[in-house]
Amino acid sequence: MSTTVRAATVRPWRLDCHVAAGDDGGAAAELRRSLMAPRPTISPRWFYDDAGCALFERITDLAEYYQTRTEQALLEARMHHVAADVGPTELVEIGSGAATKTRAILDAMSDTGLLDRYVPFDISPGIIARSAAELAAAYPGLRVHGIAGDFGRHLGKIPRRPADGTRLVAFLGSTLGNLDRAGRRTMVKRLARLLKPGDALLMGTDLAHDPAVLIRAYDDEPGVTAAFNRNIIRHVNRVFEGDADPDAFAHAPRWNARSSRIEMHLRALRDIDWSLPGLDIALRIPEGGTIRTEISCKFTRGEVEDLYAQAGLTPRSWHEDALGRYAVSVAVRA
Ligand code: AVJ
């Protein structure tokens, strides 16, 4: 299903919406399966209801959570170099969100004189509409064509690239780290499919470094990440008429060295009976039992470049901060 909303005559932007109420793309069925597994998990997609989005925004302002501000600083420092190197005429941004980072990219593209179109892709149509209107106003002449969709299902809905232009696809925020090994490979291959020779992929990835610093980024002093983690219970309760007390769970992040990833868990502080009529299940989580809510993989340069190579892309440039905590990198379709 697709609905096109065309803004009257004032602003040159449009939005194609592929997310419809009542079509969750199998997310409920997947949640049911993952909660009934011997080691129960909840997909991180359930973090992001309105309250969860607001809590994530607060996380990005925490002293401990260096990721967002480091990525922003790298984009501001290096995008001019990247834009001059790649010469993109359009930006396709996967998971564009509030489009805060977008301006650093569009500014650099605009300075080359080539900027023509911005294609934000996000699960939230509301967020796209807001940023599309804002950016169309801020960059006169910029065409904005938003796509509201799920990156697991709807990347094929992205409009055809201009025949005589160059496309830059951006996948930032280290969202890649939330996928398991197979998922990461599939995702980079899907992104690569959006590119023709000469086009480029821009990714932001959190790097493997001091575990103590990494743990602190997910276990902040004010407890914002703990609230974010517990909010997943509240969200699932609301959608599936559940009755679990979020405060019966402790926030339990840990560093898994073998898989080079932070894992967020919720640990039952007592025996918990969780009935979820909307999923037609009732769970018992014994005291000390855990539910894993997120993996957040931390990469080496070699791993990121292997992912590019497996997708048929050639690493082009690598930009990391002075502390070696975070990288923004570019790969091209040769
Ligand atoms: C934006 C999904 C990459 O994994 O660091 C922040 C989400 N979770 N604190 C991450 C998150 C806990 C974040 N991602």
Side-chain angles (χ1 to χ4, degrees):
M1 199 183 316
S2 162
T3 336
T4 294
V5 183
R6 225 175 271 273
T9 46
V10 247
R11 300 251 188 268
W13 63 272
R14 65 177 266 190
L15 171 61
D16 301 344
C17 186
H18 300 282
V19 284
D23 167 27
D24 74 349
E30 189 224 49
L31 177 63
R32 186 172 192 280
R33 260 197 312 280
S34 70
L35 280 174
M36 291 197 307
R39 289 164 183 270
T41 61
I42 300 177
S43 160
R45 72 187 303 143
W46 296 102
F47 281 136
Y48 301 98
D49 61 353
D50 288 344
C53 289
L55 285 163
F56 180 69
E57 285 300 309
R58 285 178 57 200
I59 287 174
T60 64
D61 287 332
L62 291 167
E64 293 95 335
Y65 197 77
Y66 62 86
Q67 285 87 336
T68 308
R69 81 179 66 91
T70 306
E71 182 177 72
Q72 182 72 29
L74 286 167
L75 291 173
E76 277 162 17
R78 308 312 301 269
M79 263 321 289
H80 279 89
H81 165 86
V82 172
D85 181 41
V86 174
T89 58
E90 77 167 7
L91 171 64
V92 177
E93 189 179 15
I94 309 301
S96 49
T100 332
K101 318 154 179 180
T102 313
R103 283 173 185 257
I105 306 176
L106 292 178
D107 283 347
M109 288 171 66
S110 163
D111 287 350
T112 64
L114 297 171
L115 176 62
D116 173 47
R117 182 166 72 162
Y118 173 50
V119 180
F121 182 106
D122 200 272
I123 190 76
S124 160
I127 264 188
I128 297 180
R130 217 168 312 134
S131 61
E134 244 174 65
L135 293 169
Y139 299 85
L142 179 68
R143 297 185 295 135
V144 181
H145 185 159
I147 307 290
D150 178 338
F151 65 55
R153 294 187 285 154
H154 299 123
L155 289 184
K157 306 290 186 185
I158 288 172
R160 197 182 295 281
R161 62 185 285 303
D164 52 357
T166 301
R167 167 176 278 180
L168 178 66
V169 172
F171 187 49
L172 298 167
S174 205
T175 306
L176 189 70
N178 291 148
L179 305 173
D180 65 15
R181 181 177 292 279
R184 297 195 291 272
R185 211 175 296 167
T186 305
M187 183 66 193
V188 179
K189 281 186 182 156
R190 284 193 183 144
L191 294 172
R193 226 173 280 148
L194 299 169
L195 309 177
K196 293 269 187 291
D199 293 347
L201 174 60
L202 173 75
M203 286 206 306
T205 44
D206 204 8
L207 300 178
H209 59 97
D210 184 356
V213 174
L214 285 167
I215 274 284
R216 237 178 291 133
Y218 295 83
D219 201 9
D220 58 279
E221 191 60 41
V224 182
T225 307
F228 174 74
N229 198 7
R230 285 191 197 97
N231 180 65
I232 210 168
I233 300 290
R234 200 166 285 123
H235 185 197
V236 170
N237 273 342
R238 192 176 56 249
V239 177
F240 302 105
E241 300 123 58
D243 60 355
D245 174 8
D247 293 322
F249 292 91
H251 172 56
R254 66 183 189 96
W255 172 243
N256 177 334
R258 218 171 59 86
S259 305
S260 187
R261 69 193 193 196
I262 290 284
E263 298 176 357
M264 295 220 302
H265 298 258
L266 289 165
R267 195 179 60 245
L269 293 168
R270 47 181 160 85
D271 292 348
I272 295 170
D273 289 300
W274 191 7
S275 132
L276 288 160
L279 288 177
D280 202 25
I281 53 174
L283 304 169
R284 152 153 285 232
I285 305 141
E287 180 181 344
T290 60
I291 301 176
R292 197 188 72 201
T293 52
E294 184 173 53
I295 62 171
S296 192
C297 300
K298 309 307 172 189
F299 301 92
T300 63
R301 179 172 182 172
E303 285 163 349
V304 175
E305 295 189 343
D306 280 350
L307 280 166
Y308 286 140
Q310 282 159 9
L313 303 178
T314 307
R316 177 78 182 180
S317 62
W318 179 267
H319 314 273
E320 66 177 51
D321 67 303
L323 296 170
R325 293 175 172 185
Y326 200 95
V328 165
S329 59
V330 179
V332 293
R333 160 127 10 246

